[in-house]
Structures are given as C-alpha cells and as structure tokens.
Amino acid sequence: MKTLAKSYPKEGIWMEQAERPQVGHNDVLIKIKKTAICGTDVHIYNWDEWSQNTIPVPMTVGHEFVGVIEEVGQEVQGFNIGDRVSGEGHITCGYCRNCRAGRRHLCRNTYGVGVDRPGAFAEYLSIPAVNAFKLPDDISDDMASIFDPFGNAVHTALSFDLVGEDVLITGAGPIGIMAAAVCRHVGARHVVITDVNEYRLDLAKQLGATKAVNVVDEDLEQVMSELGMTEGFDVGLEMSGVPSAVKSMLKVMNNGGKIAMLGIPPSDMAVDWNQVIFKGLHIKGIYGREMFETWYKMVSLLQSGLDISPIITHQFKVDEFQKGFDIMRSGQSGKVILEW
Ligand code: NAD
Ligand code: ZN
C-alpha cells in the first residue's frame, strides 16, 4: 500500500510502499479516505529537535483521518465492516489508574499514531477498536478528517464556563481559530484572538472572533478598552506555545481568571508567577482530547449549527502531498486535507 513516511533522518516526507498493517484480535482495519496535515506532521517534516528525539525512522506519519472499516478483529464488538469512522490517535494502556477511572486522556503510557507507531497517512490504518469513533451520516468526511485538532479546540475551550465570559485566545493557528468559533457558539461575549499572521487573523474573523489582533502592531489593552472591558479577561486559551504570548495573557487576565494551556513551548519558559499568585489564576494543562466525551461534543456542536468548514482552506490528492506540506509550512493556510 501507498504511505507517506519519514524515511530518512533529514528534512522531508516521502511517498513509500509498505505492507498492509496486521489486524490484531482487538483491532479494526480502516481504509483511509481523507487525512489532514497537523502541525506535528510539519515538525516531523522539518526534522526539528523534538522530532529527532521522538520519531524512529522509518515511520509512517499522520494521525488525522476519516475512513471506512474494512476488517474487524475477532474480539471486536460494536463495529462492523463498512462503518465510517475517525479515531483517537492516542493509544492508551487500559490498566493505569487514570485509564481504569475512565480518564484515558491522562493515561501515563500513551502511544501516538504516526509518532510512535505507524500512522494514518497510508491506504490502510490498523488501530484498537476502542480508539475508533463511529460517525453519524450528517458529519461530512471533511469535518471528520479534522476531528483530532477540532477535539483539541473543543476540549480546551470547554474546560471552563464560557457563557457571557470574555475570552482571550493567543495563537490563531487552526486550533485557536476553531476554539474561537466554539467559544462564540456556546455563548461567550467577546472572543479576542491574537497572532502575528494576517492570513490567519482574517480566517479567525470569518469564524466568529469578535476581534483579531496582530500583536506586532496592535496593543491588547487598547483593544480591551475599545470593547469596553474594564477589568480583564475571564478565560484565556493559550494556543500558540510562544512565551511572549503567555506573558501578555497573564498580564490581561482578570483576578480569578482561568487559563487552559494547549500550546507547546519550544523549551523551558519563564513565567511571572506573581501574576498567577496575586490574581488567583487557575491554570490547566491540556493534552489531547477526552476519550470520548470530547468526540460526542464535537458531533453535537456541529449538529447544533456550529460551522467551522471555512477552516479547511486547501485540498489535494495524496500524490500532490508536497504541495500540501509546502502550503502548511508557509503559514498561509488553515487545515490542509489530503485525499487518498
Ligand atoms: P500553529 O503552529 O498552526 O499555531 C500557532 C499560531 O501561533 C501560529 O498561527 C503563529 O503564527 C501564532 N503565533 C506566533 N507568535 C505569536 C504571538 N506572539 N502571539 C500570538 N500568536 C502567535 O499550531 P496549531 O496546530 O493551531 O496548534 C496550536 C498549538 O497547540 C501549537 O503550539 C501546537 O504544538 C499545540 N498542540 C498541543 C496539543 C496538546 O495536546 N497539548 C495538541 C495539538 C497541538
Ligand atoms: Zn493508561
């Protein structure tokens, strides 16, 4: 079968041929229809320090997908051949305390599809059936192919009560933009999003952000006063991983504000802890999505009228994957889909 793989320890992703994956007793084999390129795949493409320390070469990459079940292991219940599914790229152990308590997103022994084991950029993907998520007919293939990052946005955004609240999102990457749309949909008042990339700030406005602020030439406190915000933000969603963004967020939070941190800083990051302490801030780290509460909520949000479709800005046939990676790397895109 055709795959996209990290075949060599240097910049790039290559199209390769590989054996169809084995299907264990508890697994399902999924024929992939569409995949989406994640920021993580771009890190792997670039062969940055994190990738060099994490990815064994060769490795089939990718973890955002939609497809159809073609084979089910003999112990599998609840899934049938022909089911249209997306799925969780975090494979959890099932025996640690958190897994056993139903908090699989906090598993201590997580493996990543397309990171630690063969990924979804392939004609076929084998994953444990418990990781597959059956899709209702009214969820399009395009939407389903981005459930992984949409799930990051939903899990982060719904960490705190948003109704009537003023929300600051730092980082208008695809996840930050989808989070802005979710916040508005569930009833936040002002949703201010920051970035340094005009293309993405425009996209954020299209998806419902109240105000999209380019921090290169606009002042956040000025924007707050224009919006009539006299105290500070109630909720902060950190979705850039950029230390200066975190710093500016801490400064403009109201006392008692709540922050969810999704963005991954490149290394140790200095924090003005006095802001946290004297403001009585609550800070929550976010990893992945809740299995599978977030997945049900994604479906319900879309079924209740949330429209995030403009976040998909480009679609390519998989043979043109290089164009997809180039546009992702340029920053002039939302989500980029590859059709298999
Ligand atoms: P992305 O890299 O596309 O988005 C980050 C955005 O931050 C970019 O648009 C960039 O221009 C912007 N940015 C740069 N400097 C900024 C500044 N000073 N102020 C505000 N914004 C600035 O990434 P994404 O795919 O949308 O993901 C968002 C973040 O979440 C990334 O850091 C990613 O690594 C991380 N992530 C974490 C998890 C998790 O489970 N914790 C999962 C997926 C992604
Ligand atoms: Zn576990």
Side-chain angles (χ1 to χ4, degrees), residues 87-131:
E88 248 303 328
H90 289 180
I91 311 285
T92 55
C93 73
Y95 55 77
C96 73
R97 178 174 179 173
N98 282 315
C99 277
R100 287 168 61 107
R103 298 184 293 261
R104 288 176 57 194
H105 62 295
L106 300 177
C107 174
R108 300 174 61 85
N109 309 304
T110 301
Y111 283 89
V113 170
V115 175
D116 308 301
R117 53 180 271 159
F121 289 177
E123 286 176 273
Y124 291 92
L125 171 71
S126 174
I127 53 169
V130 289
N131 275 59

Side-chain angles (χ1 to χ4, degrees), residues 210-224:
T210 321
K211 196 90 180 120
V213 180
N214 190 332
V215 292
V216 172
D217 50 23
E218 272 180 287
D219 177 41
L220 208 45
E221 286 172 45
Q222 175 65 31
V223 168
M224 290 163 71

Side-chain angles (χ1 to χ4, degrees), residues 37-40 43 63-64 90 148-149 152 155-156 169-178 193-197 200-201 213-216 238-246 248 261-265 285-289 328 331 333-335:
I37 302 176
C38 174
T40 303
H43 285 292
H63 55 273
E64 303 181 358
H90 289 180
D148 176 294
N152 294 135
H155 175 32
T156 312
I169 301 175
T170 44
I175 300 177
I177 296 175
M178 289 190 277
I193 191 163
T194 65
D195 206 291
V196 293
N197 174 329
R200 289 180 157 185
L201 289 166
V213 180
N214 190 332
V215 292
V216 172
E238 206 307 294
M239 298 190 147
S240 72
V242 175
S244 61
V246 178
S248 69
M261 310 243 335
L262 176 93
I264 302 172
I286 301 283
Y287 182 49
R289 303 140 296 276
M328 273 296 281
S333 77
K335 290 303 293 183

Side-chain angles (χ1 to χ4, degrees), residues 7 16 30 45 79 84 99 141 158 206 225 227 231 242 245 272 274 278 280 284 289 302 308:
S7 311
E16 304 287 358
I30 301 164
Y45 184 104
F79 290 93
R84 200 168 61 100
C99 277
D141 282 346
L158 300 187
Q206 254 187 70
S225 85
L227 291 171
E231 301 199 343
V242 175
D272 179 1
N274 283 337
F278 290 107
K284 179 184 179 187
R289 303 140 296 276
L302 295 175
I308 54 163

Side-chain angles (χ1 to χ4, degrees), residues 88 101-105 130-133 147 150-156 158-159 284 288-302:
E88 248 303 328
R103 298 184 293 261
R104 288 176 57 194
H105 62 295
V130 289
N131 275 59
F133 183 80
F147 261 27
F150 179 35
N152 294 135
V154 169
H155 175 32
T156 312
L158 300 187
S159 287
K284 179 184 179 187
R289 303 140 296 276
E290 289 187 8
M291 293 168 235
F292 272 82
E293 273 307 289
T294 304
W295 292 74
Y296 289 99
K297 288 202 190 280
M298 284 191 272
V299 169
S300 313
L301 286 164
L302 295 175

